[in-house]
Amino acid sequence: MAVFRRNFAAGAAALLLLLTGCIEIEPDPEPAEGGSAETAVPPPTGSATPPGSPGSETPEDTDVAISSTREDSVYPQIGDPLVDALHYDLTLAWTPTTDTLRATEQLTFRATDTADRFQLDFDDVLTIDALTVDGAEATYERTDKDLVVQHPVEADGEYVVELTYSGTPEPYEAPTERSDFELGVGWHVTPEHEVWTIQEPYGAFTWFAANDQPADKALYDFTLTVPEPWTGIANGELTSDVAADGLRTTTWHLAEPAASYLVTVAFADYTATELTSARGVPITIWGPTDDPDAIGETEYAGEAMDWLEQYLGPYPFDTFGILIYDGTSGMETQTMVTLGATDYATSRNVVVHELAHHWYGDTVTPSDWSDVWMNEGMAMYLQGMWEAEDEGITIDDKMDQWASFEVQERAYAGPPADYDPTNFGAGNIYYGPALMWHELRQQIGDDAFFSMIRSWPADQENGNADREEYLAWIEATTGEELSAFFDAWLLGTTTPPRD
């Protein structure tokens, strides 16, 4: 997330441009000479249609995707604890000339209780052409983003919902005062008819029916079709890439469960740059074909992964990628980071930050949005460590820099773990928790601290946790009684004293 507030002094504002979550400011397009913004880049011709039913079988083993669902304490209107999504199979076809999405979705879910109906998040700007449950037509009701399906479910029973739908998805209003959220969350269409998606704390429901809450992680398969020479990009491993009859279809498989806010899809004309880390992890940078320089410093990804593995252990997924989109912010979308085409968004320190989220945020995800600090604080601290090393200063110096304005962030949006829900993603969830981790490091020593931050993602791989679970684990691991320490840093209205 780009952390930025216009009312800050210039020096602080520069420090506050720290990406790690969601959303964009789309730059004003520059029309081609003699043309409008809408016609500056001619879209490819042809109509994209879904290549039939969903592209893959439901994985045989979905146990890894079983979640302990809950009602979110910050945004209770999003998600349904009755639904535990296990696998999404999304077949999406984008026609740029008409800005039309045609889609088929197959959702396999586990019911957590017995009820006569269940609810999904799905924006009603999209038209449902058919909806079945276990192959039988089902009745449903829709209001705004609530899709209520009138079908009985039993506790621990598994069900398959299949939808076909179409339309032009629209972004949804974001719960924040941040200027870089002005375009909203979810699906975005550029003036050139390209597509990008970023959704935090929610917004996946703008383009597929989802249980759009972080406690519910699921497996994903994507089949994406678009007219050539464009490409559809998504999370996970690219398993096929076929061009025929003027259309290009790619399939993607995400082998580890992900929360819906960590999913991404994009359509545009991309060129791939292939890299590997020192351990051999395949890395792909997807940049705009017409602007090779837009990838900036993202080819540093392999070295960034090597640096992070010193402290966090092996990268927790099989592949890594970076997708460059026509915007300015960034998001740690799982295995396929989404970064805006700006010098800062594609800088090395941002690459380090977004990669760090794959340990803190992706493989281990907060169960509740009140605990987004668990993602941002550690990624921010690791970024600070990297920046201090890169700048030739001490980590103490870096923390002193951040402490100079952390008090303003806390006053502006509230304590990191009890923030203003109408101002999601402010700097309070980044800097205060980063300072907290440094204070804990000083208190328990480097050996205990680095053992702790390495062990947590390995111990909780592909899982979720809330603050209570996390802090109890830290106390058990370190042997320290830290309740007063954490309460002061995470719930206090003023910044605690620093050593």
Side-chain angles (χ1 to χ4, degrees):
M1 240 181 288
V3 181
F4 177 73
R5 288 221 315 281
R6 290 175 179 165
N7 61 333
F8 262 48
L15 288 169
L16 290 174
L17 286 171
L18 297 159
L19 288 130
T20 167
C22 179
I23 281 18
E24 78 306 321
I25 284 279
E26 191 173 354
D28 293 333
E30 296 182 4
E33 185 175 354
S36 67
E38 287 74 12
T39 59
V41 179
T45 59
S47 177
T49 56
S53 59
S56 67
E57 297 292 330
T58 301
E60 292 183 6
D61 185 7
T62 56
D63 287 352
V64 70
I66 293 175
S67 304
S68 297
T69 57
R70 62 171 65 189
E71 181 178 281
D72 196 79
S73 69
V74 183
Y75 304 110
Q77 73 277 20
I78 309 294
D80 181 0
L82 179 66
V83 173
D84 174 15
L86 302 176
H87 179 246
Y88 293 92
D89 195 342
L90 302 172
T91 300
L92 311 176
W94 178 247
T95 301
T97 51
T98 58
D99 288 341
T100 302
L101 175 69
R102 298 181 63 192
T104 301
E105 171 181 351
Q106 189 178 85
L107 165 61
T108 302
F109 76 94
R110 177 183 69 92
T112 63
D113 204 349
T114 299
D116 59 3
R117 64 179 189 170
F118 61 91
Q119 182 172 314
L120 298 170
D121 302 302
F122 190 50
D123 198 348
D124 63 3
V125 302
L126 294 171
T127 299
I128 296 176
D129 301 310
L131 188 156
T132 63
V133 180
D134 292 341
E137 185 175 348
T139 59
Y140 56 87
E141 299 174 358
R142 306 184 74 184
T143 305
D144 189 28
K145 62 94 200 156
D146 295 334
L147 170 61
V148 179
V149 181
Q150 306 292 342
H151 187 283
V153 294
E154 295 184 359
D156 291 322
E158 286 193 14
Y159 303 87
V160 177
V161 181
E162 188 162 337
L163 302 90
T164 58
Y165 57 94
S166 60
T168 302
E170 298 176 358
Y172 202 81
E173 184 178 359
T176 184
E177 298 176 10
R178 281 176 41 166
S179 61
D180 62 338
F181 279 73
E182 287 176 347
L183 295 182
V185 291
W187 184 282
H188 294 78
V189 182
T190 74
E192 292 77 29
H193 312 282
E194 298 167 346
V195 169
W196 54 271
T197 57
I198 296 181
Q199 50 259 339
E200 189 184 17
Y202 46 72
F205 62 76
T206 63
W207 52 282
F208 69 100
N211 194 32
D212 207 1
Q213 200 271 340
D216 190 2
K217 299 174 82 166
L219 301 170
Y220 285 82
D221 283 280
F222 306 85
T223 302
L224 308 178
T225 300
V226 69
E228 293 185 271
W230 287 15
T231 306
I233 310 295
N235 309 75
E237 179 186 1
L238 176 61
T239 54
S240 71
D241 185 348
V242 177
D245 300 323
L247 300 176
R248 186 175 187 180
T249 298
T250 53
T251 60
W252 301 80
H253 175 63
L254 187 58
E256 300 87 0
S260 55
Y261 83 96
L262 293 170
V263 174
T264 190
V265 160
F267 293 100
D269 187 358
Y270 293 108
T271 295
T273 300
E274 304 289 348
L275 310 166
T276 58
S277 73
R279 283 197 313 110
V281 175
I283 298 169
T284 306
I285 312 298
W286 294 91
T289 299
D290 62 356
D291 186 8
D293 294 335
I295 66 172
E297 297 181 310
T298 57
E299 289 177 294
Y300 184 70
E303 294 171 77
M305 187 177 293
D306 299 340
W307 186 88
L308 286 165
E309 287 184 336
Q310 299 176 82
Y311 301 102
L312 301 177
Y315 173 70
F317 302 103
D318 295 331
T319 62
F320 181 70
I322 294 177
L323 167 69
I324 307 300
Y325 78 100
D326 187 13
T328 63
S329 192
M331 179 68 197
E332 66 272 17
T333 37
Q334 190 162 312
T335 73
M336 186 63 71
V337 162
T338 308
L339 296 179
T342 70
D343 289 343
Y344 182 76
T346 58
S347 65
R348 293 184 301 160
N349 52 330
V350 171
V351 171
V352 169
H353 186 109
E354 302 300 340
L355 245 172
H357 272 307
H358 283 70
W359 287 265
Y360 281 83
D362 291 11
T363 194
V364 187
T365 305
S367 298
D368 189 275
W369 279 119
S370 63
D371 296 322
V372 64
W373 64 270
M374 291 166 55
N375 297 356
E376 303 304 346
M378 186 57 73
M380 195 77 255
Y381 186 60
L382 288 159
Q383 178 183 331
M385 288 174 53
W386 182 90
E387 287 184 3
E389 184 178 305
D390 186 61
E391 295 166 15
I393 63 174
T394 68
I395 185 61
D396 294 325
D397 291 337
K398 178 60 66 174
M399 293 301 104
D400 287 344
Q401 291 175 4
W402 289 356
S404 68
F405 55 81
E406 190 275 338
V407 63
Q408 297 168 281
E409 291 294 338
R410 189 178 293 257
Y412 173 65
D418 189 23
Y419 57 86
D420 176 0
T422 67
N423 196 9
F424 179 82
N428 62 328
I429 63 173
Y430 296 77
Y431 297 104
L435 294 174
M436 177 189 76
W437 290 128
H438 189 59
E439 293 300 304
L440 182 62
R441 175 181 173 183
Q442 292 179 309
Q443 180 173 328
I444 66 176
D446 280 6
D447 289 347
F449 179 78
F450 287 112
S451 175
M452 178 195 78
I453 69 169
R454 184 186 184 100
S455 297
W456 172 251
D459 196 50
Q460 304 293 323
E461 187 176 13
N462 290 326
N464 292 80
D466 59 21
R467 177 167 66 250
E468 182 177 343
E469 294 166 324
Y470 187 26
L471 301 187
W473 182 92
I474 291 174
E475 289 187 330
T477 300
T478 63
E480 301 276 344
E481 206 295 310
L482 297 166
S483 57
F485 172 86
F486 284 122
D487 284 351
W489 276 101
L490 297 174
L491 300 173
T493 57
T494 58
T495 305
R498 299 172 59 231
D499 290 336

